[in-house]
Amino acid sequence: MEKEAGKMIQSCPTTQAQSQLAEAVLRESGQNVNLCYQCRKCAAGCPISYVMDYKPAQLIHAIRLGMDDLVLNSKTVWLCASCETCTTRCPQEVDVAKVMDAVKITALRRGVKPAIPQVASFYNAALANIKKCGRMYELGMIVGFKLRTFEFFKDVGLGMKMFRKGKLRMVPSLGGALTTLRIFRRVKNVEKKNRNA
Amino acid sequence: MAAKYAYYPGCSLHSTGSEYDVSFRAVCEKLGIQIDEIKGWVCCGTSPAHCTSRLLSLALPYENLLLVERMGATDVVAPCASCFSRLKTAVHEAAEDPDIAGQIREVLDAPLPESVNVLSPLEIFNDGTPIAEAVTKQWPGLKVVCYYGCLLTRPSKVMQFDECEYPMAMDELLASLGIATLDWSYKTDCCGGALAVTRTDVVLKLTHDILEEAVAVGANAIAVACPLCHVNLDTRQTEVEQEYGTQYGLPVFYFTQLMGLAFGIPPAKLGLQKHFVSADALLSGVRED
Ligand code: SF4
Ligand code: SF4
């Protein structure tokens, strides 16, 4: 039934004339933001909305309207904790959390500076770590993160205590390191090929 | 019938959440459940992957599922809620979208396994395993709120795990061991997860809300099934107390540690000494020998 409704809406003229940004989001995530009817359930349940510059429902609407600058420079997408509350509750089955990811990916691809640079640095540090070690090596990741953000003293006490409790490893386990190197490389190639296709 | 599963610990259970690993293994051993750690497993990619590349976020979990298939196993158990969710999401998306499935195949250079079941420990313990028979110790004074967090149940179309807004699997499991659990309204509220690294203020606020509610309903302990939730609720609890001028001292257990206690496994073998908020006083106060 819901699938049927989705199809009906997809074939109506307003969605055929959709913004380029909405199309980019659709390509990246399979999500059609034009299904949104602004009930704002996603915003109401979002635990992070109180610090966002635009509530999830507003961001969805701005994508529909093709407000690229506002959307790609918003803090909202970088603050999203991927808790999936919005996605679970949306009556129109818009996967809002996936839209958040698609916007981040689009922003990075277009070279837009992330509105919360620390979050992007954290992702970069973590990914570099996984690529090299095969698994997340927390100590290495934290050092990488601090080198990227220059926040050397944040959480140092906490880190020391975790270390004393035996919660952080001294050396990375390199099981799977070659595998992740290969996967990262091949993902890049496949993505590039598809973009040029 | 001895149950047998491939075991995907994920990065956290090898480091910040090592108590979850230790206690899960101890409990499985007690129940005669065989778990075999996947050799050469890799990180599932978690948020840094899905926030930056959809293909990467699906290929990494699938690499592990391929390893499971090569072990000759059909069921893989993933205790970390985040790994559990990433593995299930990969299966879901590949099934829904043949195009992305093709891309994952291309990256991994192998046909995708079709019949691997991804399970949470809550599912394998609730699967007719005679757990009540293994109970040797009662903890009548414990009043536990079960905190499921985000990713065990959400999004429901992918996870298909219990009732997404008000799950009961952990409550029922603990109740069957004679441990009292309480109703409360923060079972599936978000703790902020990995935002702790970059926006500690947000995590302190969300964690504060959760701790407040737990205390308000009269709980003296919290049970969790996710290493990220555990870091925020236990490791950062003192920070929350400082920030909000409160005093909780509320021990946070992995549910597998509570199972172990009910089975009479010594606390040190369950990794309880690794917690920031000590459970010693609570446990000596509520034990019945
Ligand atoms: S819950 Fe869904 S339909 Fe409602 S405002 Fe959010 S995206 Fe739109
Ligand atoms: S997934 Fe992101 S946008 Fe959606 S409710 Fe959670 S924090 Fe808010």
Side-chain angles (χ1 to χ4, degrees):
Chain A
M1 194 53 210
E2 279 104 17
K3 281 248 163 68
E4 294 277 283
K7 260 189 219 134
M8 249 162 61
I9 294 171
Q10 270 164 21
S11 63
C12 90
T14 50
T15 58
Q16 280 161 7
Q18 65 182 350
S19 72
Q20 276 186 1
L21 188 58
E23 256 168 46
V25 166
L26 181 67
R27 257 199 319 277
E28 196 53 60
S29 63
Q31 295 307 304
N32 180 2
V33 289
N34 290 305
L35 291 173
C36 167
Y37 54 31
Q38 285 294 302
C39 71
R40 292 194 255 166
K41 210 171 171 184
C42 53
C46 174
I48 315 290
S49 70
Y50 81 104
V51 281
M52 288 173 169
D53 43 3
Y54 302 97
K55 311 290 173 216
Q58 291 176 306
L59 195 93
I60 299 277
H61 200 56
I63 298 171
R64 280 186 85 165
L65 297 177
M67 301 169 80
D68 292 38
D69 272 355
L70 181 152
V71 173
L72 298 176
N73 290 299
S74 70
K75 294 192 176 133
T76 297
V77 292
W78 297 100
L79 287 169
C80 166
S82 308
C83 77
E84 307 281 351
T85 308
C86 49
T87 297
T88 302
R89 293 182 184 169
C90 173
Q92 282 294 85
E93 297 195 22
V94 177
D95 191 328
V96 183
K98 233 188 224 167
V99 172
M100 297 283 167
D101 287 350
V103 171
K104 277 176 284 207
I105 293 169
T106 308
L108 291 174
R109 191 169 295 150
R110 294 195 192 168
V112 178
K113 185 170 174 281
I116 315 255
Q118 296 94 319
V119 176
S121 302
F122 168 60
Y123 294 157
N124 283 336
L127 290 174
N129 193 264
I130 298 167
K131 183 175 166 184
K132 259 199 305 242
C133 303
R135 298 173 188 171
M136 192 93 79
Y137 169 51
E138 273 88 353
L139 263 188
M141 194 270 286
I142 290 164
V143 170
F145 174 63
K146 289 192 182 296
L147 287 174
R148 285 173 168 84
T149 57
F150 301 103
E151 290 182 342
F152 293 106
F153 299 106
K154 192 170 174 282
D155 285 339
V156 166
L158 196 76
M160 290 304 290
K161 197 163 168 200
M162 290 181 96
F163 189 69
R164 279 200 302 276
K165 289 262 181 192
K167 281 175 168 273
L168 294 175
R169 288 167 172 254
M170 269 303 272
V171 282
S173 91
L174 295 174
L178 292 175
T179 316
T180 44
L181 260 177
R182 191 193 71 224
I183 293 175
F184 273 72
R185 214 181 38 234
R186 296 182 69 122
V187 163
K188 263 230 161 76
N189 290 341
V190 173
E191 282 180 339
K192 203 156 139 204
K193 195 178 84 193
N194 287 338
R195 251 197 319 276
N196 296 335
Chain B
M1 183 200 70
K4 210 177 140 180
Y5 302 91
Y7 173 35
Y8 180 74
C11 308
S12 294
L13 271 74
H14 270 207
S15 59
T16 53
S18 54
E19 316 90 285
Y20 196 8
D21 173 71
V22 170
S23 55
F24 177 56
R25 286 175 189 276
V27 165
C28 284
E29 197 190 318
K30 199 83 180 176
L31 295 171
I33 297 172
Q34 191 185 330
I35 48 171
D36 298 323
E37 182 166 336
I38 305 167
K39 285 200 184 65
W41 61 266
V42 298
C43 174
C44 72
T46 181
S47 287
H50 73 72
C51 289
T52 53
S53 160
R54 179 170 177 226
L55 183 55
L56 181 67
S57 78
L58 303 175
L60 288 170
Y62 257 111
E63 169 68 19
N64 294 299
L65 296 178
L66 275 172
L67 294 175
V68 172
E69 192 183 46
R70 283 180 203 142
M71 286 166 75
T74 49
D75 295 320
V76 55
V77 57
C80 166
S82 180
C83 301
F84 178 57
S85 126
R86 291 318 306 167
L87 293 174
K88 286 197 85 155
T89 301
V91 173
H92 180 84
E93 298 214 354
E96 293 265 293
D97 181 348
D99 193 44
I100 199 81
Q103 293 177 31
I104 305 170
R105 259 197 314 274
E106 196 178 338
V107 168
L108 300 179
D109 205 9
L112 303 186
E114 269 167 25
S115 54
V116 176
N117 290 321
V118 181
L119 299 164
S120 148
L122 285 165
E123 290 171 300
I124 71 173
F125 295 138
N126 278 339
D127 198 13
T129 314
I131 12 179
E133 289 168 19
V135 174
T136 58
K137 212 169 202 150
Q138 297 295 326
W139 302 87
L142 276 181
K143 283 178 285 179
V144 180
V145 282
C146 294
Y147 177 64
Y148 297 75
C150 301
L151 298 175
L152 267 182
T153 64
R154 282 196 299 266
S156 48
K157 62 172 189 256
V158 177
M159 303 313 288
Q160 305 194 357
F161 178 92
D162 211 338
E163 165 55 52
C164 72
E165 299 279 358
Y166 203 79
M168 284 301 288
M170 208 192 310
D171 292 75
E172 280 161 10
L173 179 73
L174 295 181
S176 71
L177 305 173
I179 294 173
T181 64
L182 305 173
D183 286 334
W184 68 319
S185 54
Y186 274 68
K187 281 186 177 186
T188 57
D189 278 49
C190 177
C191 71
L195 270 184
V197 184
T198 47
R199 283 295 299 261
T200 317
D201 58 318
V202 175
V203 166
L204 293 185
K205 185 224 172 247
L206 298 178
T207 311
H208 171 248
D209 292 347
I210 295 164
L211 292 166
E212 279 290 307
E213 178 70 8
V215 170
V217 299
N220 54 18
I222 301 180
V224 299
C226 170
L228 265 105
C229 300
H230 193 272
V231 167
N232 287 341
L233 289 170
D234 172 72
T235 312
R236 292 199 183 263
Q237 197 175 120
T238 318
E239 248 177 281
V240 175
E241 291 172 339
Q242 279 161 4
E243 178 77 17
Y244 289 87
T246 48
Q247 191 66 53
Y248 303 114
L250 203 61
V252 185
F253 297 94
Y254 288 102
F255 75 96
T256 42
Q257 292 178 310
L258 291 174
M259 292 176 76
L261 288 174
F263 297 162
I265 301 171
K269 291 215 163 137
L270 298 168
L272 285 180
Q273 72 285 0
K274 289 198 172 184
H275 291 183
F276 276 34
V277 180
S278 167
D280 293 350
L282 172 69
L283 292 180
S284 56
V286 298
R287 177 169 47 219
E288 193 175 82
D289 283 316

